[in-house]
Amino acid sequence: LHFLLRIKSQNGLCDVYIEPILRVLNLLPCQLVCQLGESQNASNGRKIVPTDEVEIPVGKEAKCISIDCSLKPHLSVRLPGTRWASWTRIVNRDQNSFTWRPTEEEELSLFESSPDAPNRGNEYKTILQLNNKCAGGNSVNVIMSVEAGHVPIIRVYAQYWILDKSGLGLKFTDGFIDLIGNTPDASTTRKSFSNGSEINSSDLKLDICRQGYEWSVGMNG
């Protein structure tokens, strides 16, 4: 187990705060499963070794104490009906935090601006793509935001929620791959209905019991 210590001294009295390594907040309308890992040496180079897996209900927070913040922590997430996202490095932009060790290249980009600069971001955001478990199913893109600090706060959310009340079942897309707009971009296409074969798939039997699976699977029609 790993914890962070913060000591505050005033008038000869010391307060010792014991805090988790990081916090993960689920801001999605469905259950979130997080996998945490550390970068470790292997015979064929460095690899990510999973250390913990936690399920986070809608709107809830998980406190993580299973990773060593000096071993370049990574995060992967999964939603009901999707496969695991690729491992993503947890980047803490706070230059006053000495609990995370960036590479030399990261130091150039993280520390080049002053904390008082107006264009200095306080969060590091990454788009995570999660592929559907069913063949031909739409992928899901969510945002992972890391709030800088001694104990970084990771928020996972979607930029838009669309609730289809038409009763017809619609398709949505953010763009087209051809000039005349006939072929939607598969990476940004979503639908508000599901085929019976998708719901009866053996891969989804456990996932459709999870909270809010309709949103991530695509069944809000």
Side-chain angles (χ1 to χ4, degrees):
L1 300 180
H2 301 272
F3 300 92
L4 297 177
L5 292 181
R6 182 164 58 92
I7 301 175
K8 182 182 293 186
S9 177
Q10 185 176 9
N11 297 329
L13 297 177
C14 290
D15 294 328
V16 179
Y17 298 87
I18 302 177
E19 299 175 301
I21 295 295
L22 57 87
R23 295 181 171 90
V24 182
L25 181 59
N26 178 17
L27 299 179
L28 295 170
C30 62
Q31 189 180 58
L32 175 70
V33 184
C34 289
Q35 195 173 54
L36 296 162
E38 300 170 344
S39 177
Q40 299 183 8
N41 291 321
S43 57
N44 57 348
R46 298 189 69 85
K47 67 175 184 178
I48 307 302
V49 178
T51 60
D52 195 13
E53 183 177 314
V54 58
E55 297 183 359
I56 310 175
V58 176
K60 300 298 183 180
E61 179 185 84
K63 298 177 176 63
C64 303
I65 57 175
S66 61
I67 56 173
D68 185 345
C69 56
S70 67
L71 295 179
K72 298 181 175 59
H74 284 66
L75 177 75
S76 178
V77 301
R78 190 175 76 82
L79 303 177
T82 73
R83 303 189 186 279
W84 286 102
S86 300
W87 285 109
T88 301
R89 171 82 183 274
I90 302 174
V91 178
N92 187 356
R93 278 189 178 272
D94 192 346
Q95 67 175 11
N96 294 321
S97 175
F98 297 100
T99 57
W100 306 80
R101 298 180 182 176
T103 62
E104 292 183 0
E105 293 181 355
E106 288 172 335
E107 284 186 357
L108 293 176
S109 60
L110 297 181
F111 302 161
E112 61 184 4
S113 60
S114 167
D116 299 327
N119 59 348
R120 183 179 188 271
N122 191 39
E123 293 182 87
Y124 185 87
K125 297 181 180 180
T126 306
I127 296 178
L128 308 179
Q129 184 177 56
L130 298 93
N131 294 323
N132 200 293
K133 281 187 173 182
C134 299
N138 297 135
S139 61
V140 180
N141 293 327
V142 298
I143 299 173
M144 184 184 84
S145 170
V146 182
E147 180 181 341
H150 182 63
V151 180
I153 300 176
I154 299 176
R155 296 178 176 87
V156 181
Y157 63 95
Q159 190 170 9
Y160 301 105
W161 297 358
I162 299 177
L163 185 61
D164 178 14
K165 293 290 188 178
S166 68
L168 302 175
L170 304 177
K171 273 192 172 183
F172 310 90
T173 186
D174 192 40
F176 297 87
I177 61 175
D178 58 338
L179 294 177
I180 59 177
N182 283 336
T183 307
D185 183 0
S187 64
T188 61
T189 298
R190 294 284 289 155
K191 55 187 175 63
S192 61
F193 61 92
S194 293
N195 301 325
S197 59
E198 295 176 351
I199 300 304
N200 294 326
S201 169
S202 58
D203 289 337
L204 293 183
K205 284 185 177 180
L206 294 178
D207 282 355
I208 61 176
C209 299
R210 297 180 182 272
Q211 183 185 21
Y213 75 91
E214 297 90 348
W215 180 81
S216 57
V217 170
M219 291 180 56
N220 281 348

